[in-house]
Amino acid sequence: MQRRPERERRADLINATILEIGAARSLDVTTVQIAKRAGVSSGLAFHYFKDKDSLFLAAMRAILSSYSDDVSRMMKSAQSPQDRLTAIAKACFGASSLDRNTMSAWVVFYALALKSSRAKRLLNVYQRRLHSNLVHNLRPLIGAQADPAARRIAGLIDGLYLRCALESHAVVAFDGAAEVLQAIEAECQDTCLFAAPKTHAI
Amino acid sequence: MQRRPERERRADLINATILEIGAARSLDVTTVQIAKRAGVSSGLAFHYFKDKDSLFLAAMRAILSSYSDDVSRMMKSAQSPQDRLTAIAKACFGASSLDRNTMSAWVVFYALALKSSRAKRLLNVYQRRLHSNLVHNLRPLIGAQADPAARRIAGLIDGLYLRCALESHAVVAFDGAAEVLQAIEAECQDTCLFAAPKTHAI
DNA sequence: TTATGAATTGACTGATCAATCAATAGGCGG
DNA sequence: CCGCCTATTGATTGATCAGTCAATTCATAA
């Protein structure tokens, strides 16, 4: 019985939840499994989280905020709208987002958002941030077309990510970021203001 | 105890399964619920389907083949590649695909495909057919770029559909087909061979 | 050292549900 | 009308699990 501060225990349990969901590739995981993976008893899981749903939502929040951090970090060093769009695309398909457990959990949480309004609300935060990021950086390039174009780019990101997650291959064979950049370039060709930094060929 | 031929009973049960999954917005539906919705006892469901999984897969197959029929029907009357691409986009966001129960079930089945190899195989059939349809009709327009472009368009369709399914509004506010056509147009602008029939403005 | 309270355990409960199966009902040929 | 076969029923079983709680362990301060 090793004692640790609440902060770390919660983190352990959240992490274990993501790992178990990733391993099972669904929400069909028991609290005993999760607790065991975290190295604690099942009772402790309920000590720190009201119920199983709350634990799932905490795990979802963790994934979304880790993604959010990725985006922020990559945007920091970008100067131009073009660079920032590239940063967004790379963050979506960066190493931490492409972790297999994370990908599976993400898809599972998408499905969860269908029935859980709390999960849906979390997803909406992610979606709105992505859309706003895209619009903000597309507007200098294509003006009023930025909004509908951003909708399409965001949809494309989700769709490609979904397909990645469903691929069984251990390593993903194609570069999602490059695909997204290609699409952005296509969207901008009207006014020809966007030129992809380097990655043209897929 | 009303007797009906096997064919119809199976169809009833499959339909009830989709309705229940749609209502619950998840796979958390009991065989008793499904059977009741189909107007039979739970035992009969197991008489016609080996187990619950088989029933789920049958329902998934029904949705995919209904979508497939939509595409075929709409492609029939199309002559040019442009028209056929338009037909594909419209079929994906046509009335029968946008039925709320069907949309929910579709998303749920996507998640199911993560863990069930049988479900994944069904999804692969759909994905390959869509990709092949797209490539076949893009090639006359953009040649060698058809393949990567088709990957993006297919991803966009999945992503937009996913977002549709997550929208809570009873009626979907935006026209997915128009978005897809707009993206196709953007992909073709290099060579300027594609002009959308009419729907430019979203 | 002892007392206090917080962290941790894991056995237990009550509910749920997939799948089974013996019993019944209905159609159909003889 | 009688048997036979199949469709259909629904009570039952056996397993699973979320969540509870009384008991136990540990850290810390007095």
Side-chain angles (χ1 to χ4, degrees):
Chain A
M1 197 212 273
Q2 183 198 352
R3 293 195 169 199
R4 304 184 64 193
E6 169 166 350
R7 188 167 201 78
E8 295 177 22
R9 277 279 180 251
R10 294 183 91 97
D12 288 346
L13 283 164
I14 286 173
N15 212 38
T17 302
I18 294 172
L19 288 177
E20 282 298 314
I21 289 176
R25 299 180 173 284
S26 82
L27 287 182
D28 293 337
V29 294
T30 71
T31 45
V32 173
Q33 284 178 284
I34 293 172
K36 186 174 289 176
R37 170 94 68 161
V40 298
S41 74
S42 68
L44 202 61
F46 290 102
H47 179 68
Y48 285 124
F49 295 91
K50 180 178 159 290
D51 52 22
K52 217 184 168 190
D53 274 355
S54 304
L55 182 51
F56 283 158
L57 286 180
M60 187 171 171
R61 211 172 287 123
I63 285 185
L64 289 175
S65 86
S66 144
Y67 158 78
S68 204
D69 291 349
D70 279 2
V71 173
S72 303
R73 198 174 322 110
M74 302 212 65
M75 297 256 284
K76 274 275 168 55
S77 59
Q79 307 297 335
S80 64
Q82 287 90 338
D83 284 353
R84 280 191 288 274
L85 289 170
T86 306
I88 293 170
K90 281 187 176 163
C92 292
F93 295 90
S96 69
S97 292
L98 281 190
D99 168 73
R100 187 134 292 272
N101 287 321
T102 303
M103 288 197 292
S104 298
W106 188 283
V107 172
V108 162
F109 287 143
Y110 253 103
L112 178 64
L114 264 185
K115 69 163 165 179
S116 158
S117 54
R118 291 166 76 194
K120 176 146 49 188
R121 225 167 297 132
L122 286 183
L123 217 50
N124 279 343
V125 173
Y126 147 78
Q127 287 181 338
R128 267 197 292 273
R129 240 200 306 256
L130 175 57
H131 184 262
S132 136
N133 273 337
L134 288 172
V135 168
H136 185 258
N137 291 292
L138 282 170
R139 208 186 306 279
L141 304 180
I142 51 176
Q145 296 164 51
D147 196 79
R151 248 197 330 267
R152 288 189 287 275
I153 302 298
L156 175 64
I157 289 172
D158 279 10
L160 289 178
Y161 191 84
L162 184 59
R163 279 162 181 252
C164 270
L166 287 172
E167 290 294 336
S168 35
H169 321 303
V171 182
V172 178
F174 83 110
D175 180 357
E179 298 275 4
V180 171
L181 288 174
Q182 190 81 20
I184 292 176
E185 201 181 344
E187 289 280 354
C188 294
Q189 251 169 11
D190 271 345
T191 40
C192 268
L193 288 172
F194 185 94
K198 40 195 166 179
T199 31
H200 263 236
I202 305 301
Chain B
M1 194 210 274
Q2 182 197 356
R3 296 197 166 196
R4 304 184 63 193
E6 170 166 350
R7 191 166 199 77
E8 295 178 21
R9 277 279 180 252
R10 294 183 93 98
D12 287 348
L13 283 163
I14 286 173
N15 212 39
T17 303
I18 295 172
L19 288 178
E20 282 299 313
I21 290 175
R25 297 177 174 284
S26 84
L27 286 182
D28 293 338
V29 293
T30 70
T31 45
V32 174
Q33 284 177 284
I34 293 173
K36 186 174 290 177
R37 169 93 68 160
V40 297
S41 75
S42 68
L44 201 61
F46 290 101
H47 178 69
Y48 285 123
F49 296 91
K50 180 177 158 290
D51 53 22
K52 217 184 169 191
D53 274 354
S54 304
L55 182 50
F56 283 159
L57 286 180
M60 186 171 172
R61 210 172 288 123
I63 284 185
L64 289 174
S65 85
S66 143
Y67 158 78
S68 205
D69 292 347
D70 279 2
V71 174
S72 303
R73 198 173 324 110
M74 301 213 65
M75 297 258 282
K76 274 275 167 58
S77 59
Q79 307 297 334
S80 65
Q82 287 91 337
D83 285 352
R84 279 191 288 275
L85 289 169
T86 306
I88 294 170
K90 281 187 177 164
C92 292
F93 295 90
S96 69
S97 291
L98 281 189
D99 168 73
R100 187 135 292 271
N101 287 320
T102 302
M103 288 196 294
S104 298
W106 188 284
V107 172
V108 161
F109 287 142
Y110 253 103
L112 177 65
L114 264 184
K115 71 165 164 177
S116 158
S117 55
R118 291 166 77 196
K120 174 145 52 188
R121 226 166 298 132
L122 285 183
L123 217 50
N124 280 342
V125 173
Y126 148 78
Q127 288 182 338
R128 268 198 290 274
R129 241 202 300 257
L130 175 57
H131 184 263
S132 138
N133 272 338
L134 288 172
V135 168
H136 185 259
N137 291 292
L138 283 169
R139 207 186 306 278
L141 303 180
I142 53 177
Q145 295 165 51
D147 196 77
R151 251 199 325 269
R152 288 189 288 274
I153 301 298
L156 175 64
I157 288 173
D158 279 11
L160 289 179
Y161 190 84
L162 184 59
R163 280 164 182 253
C164 270
L166 286 172
E167 291 294 337
S168 35
H169 320 304
V171 182
V172 178
F174 84 110
D175 180 357
E179 298 277 3
V180 171
L181 288 175
Q182 190 81 21
I184 291 177
E185 201 181 344
E187 289 279 354
C188 293
Q189 249 168 14
D190 271 344
T191 41
C192 269
L193 288 173
F194 186 94
K198 41 193 166 179
T199 30
H200 264 236
I202 306 301

